[in-house]
Amino acid sequence: MNIKIMHLYPDLLNLYGDRGNIECLRKRLIWRGIDAEVVTHTCDDTSFDISDVDIIFLGGGSDREQKIVCTRLLEHKKELKDFVENGGSLVAVCGGYQLLGKYYKLEDQTIPGLEILDIYTEQGKKRLIGNIVLKSDIIDEEIVGFENHGGRTYTGNYKPLGKTLYGHGNHDDAGAEGVVYKNVIATYLHGPLLPKNPQLCDHILKNALKKKYKDFTELDPLDDELEHMANRYIVERFCGNGGKA
Ligand code: GLN
C-alpha cells in the first residue's frame, strides 16, 4: 500500500511549521510498513496534477501571504473541488481553512476563496490567540492545540471538528471549532496539530487508505503513550478545575 501526500504552497502557507504535520502523516504510515510519498506544489510550479494524490495539506499564512497565494490557488479551483467531492482527503489549517470558503473579508480587501465549503470569514477587531481544547466525535481523545487568527469563520450547518471546551474556535462565541465535510478536516489549530493529536492523524490516514484500498480495514496500533500523556496534561491544565487554566 502507498499514500501520496501533497503539501500545497509550502513556500507561502507555512506559518507555524506546518511541515511537521506532513512529517507526522508520513512517519505514521512508514512505521506501519505503508509507503508514503510527499510532493510539494509551490508558487513556482506551473503544472498542477493531483490525479494520483491521496491527501492534500494546505497550511496557515498571514493575511499578506493569503493575498499572494489566492490567485494561484483559484487557478485550480475546479480540480480541488472535484478532489474533495470525490472523497479525497484534504487537511486545511487556519489561513488554508479560510481559503476553502467563499471569501475572507479584510478591512481593505476581500480575498476570494475556493468555495469548496459554503462558509465565509470576516476579520474581527482583536486576534483570537491561545491554547484550545476540543471535544470531537470523530476521535475519542480531546483535540489540543493553539489558535492565532484575526478572522472569524461562519460555518452554517456544517459539522464542526469539535465543540470548544477551552479557547475560542470559529468565532468569538461559536462554541465550536473547524469543519468536517466528507474527507476534509478544516481547523484553526495550527503548528503541531497532528503530532499533538495522533488519533486525528490516524483518522485522516484511515480515510485515505479506505478510499484507495477497498479491502483496507484497520491501522496497526503504535505506541503513543508519550503523546497520550502530553494530551492528558493539556486537557487537565485547561479543562480541569471547571475549565479554569
Ligand atoms: N491570516 C489569517 C488570520 O489572521 C490566518 C492566520 C493563520 O493562518 N494563523 O485570521
Side-chain angles (χ1 to χ4, degrees):
M1 290 193 290
N2 83 292
I3 287 291
K4 185 167 178 176
I5 303 162
M6 177 181 269
H7 192 175
L8 216 44
Y9 304 111
D11 46 340
L12 284 170
L13 300 179
N14 58 1
L15 198 55
Y16 286 83
D18 288 304
R19 210 178 58 80
N21 291 313
I22 303 285
E23 202 46 21
C24 188
L25 289 164
R26 194 180 75 83
K27 279 284 190 179
R28 293 183 73 83
L29 286 167
I30 293 193
W31 285 334
R32 288 157 162 137
I34 302 170
D35 288 336
E37 185 190 353
V38 175
V39 293
T40 55
H41 178 83
T42 70
C43 280
D44 295 329
D45 294 322
T46 39
S47 73
F48 184 74
D49 182 9
I50 53 171
S51 54
D52 61 349
V53 170
D54 303 299
I55 302 175
I56 294 179
F57 185 90
L58 188 59
S62 67
D63 294 347
R64 185 187 145 273
E65 286 157 337
Q66 282 175 267
K67 282 180 203 168
I68 300 170
V69 94
C70 115
T71 32
R72 305 305 302 267
L73 201 55
L74 289 183
E75 288 168 17
H76 313 302
K77 189 170 170 175
K78 178 157 174 13
E79 291 101 306
L80 288 166
K81 194 166 173 71
D82 290 349
F83 176 84
V84 165
E85 290 305 318
N86 292 330
S89 293
L90 171 63
V91 185
V93 171
C94 208
Y97 170 23
Q98 296 170 343
L99 288 168
L100 295 191
K102 288 199 279 199
Y103 59 82
Y104 174 25
K105 192 171 181 307
L106 299 162
E107 223 168 82
D108 56 341
Q109 185 185 350
T110 296
I111 303 176
L114 288 165
E115 296 182 73
I116 287 175
L117 301 176
D118 188 9
I119 63 174
Y120 64 94
T121 302
E122 290 177 351
Q123 191 176 37
K125 284 204 166 54
K126 285 201 320 203
R127 297 190 71 77
L128 305 178
I129 306 172
N131 287 286
I132 177 162
V133 180
L134 313 177
K135 183 65 202 149
S136 176
D137 64 9
I138 62 173
I139 57 171
D140 299 331
E141 210 157 58
E142 281 85 353
I143 298 175
V144 299
F146 191 82
E147 61 181 329
N148 181 355
H149 50 109
R152 273 61 168 172
T153 300
Y154 298 90
T155 57
N157 293 326
Y158 284 101
K159 178 183 164 82
L161 174 58
K163 186 169 161 280
T164 311
L165 301 182
Y166 185 85
H168 299 284
N170 286 332
H171 52 86
D172 310 65
D173 50 7
E177 202 289 317
V179 164
V180 177
Y181 170 70
K182 294 195 171 212
N183 285 339
V184 175
I185 304 276
T187 178
Y188 271 119
L189 277 60
H190 48 61
L193 168 71
L194 301 182
K196 274 185 177 176
N197 299 285
Q199 285 191 355
L200 185 62
C201 187
D202 284 357
H203 175 86
I204 294 159
L205 295 176
K206 257 190 273 181
N207 283 344
L209 285 159
K210 263 190 222 160
K211 174 172 188 290
K212 191 163 190 177
Y213 301 102
K214 300 299 161 223
D215 53 352
F216 170 80
T217 47
E218 212 26 92
L219 285 169
D220 292 339
L222 295 175
D223 178 5
D224 289 329
E225 187 52 26
L226 282 177
E227 291 84 345
H228 178 71
M229 279 164 61
N231 177 290
R232 287 297 93 202
Y233 173 79
I234 292 293
V235 173
E236 188 51 37
R237 179 170 162 201
F238 294 105
C239 304
N241 188 25
K244 308 255 183 316

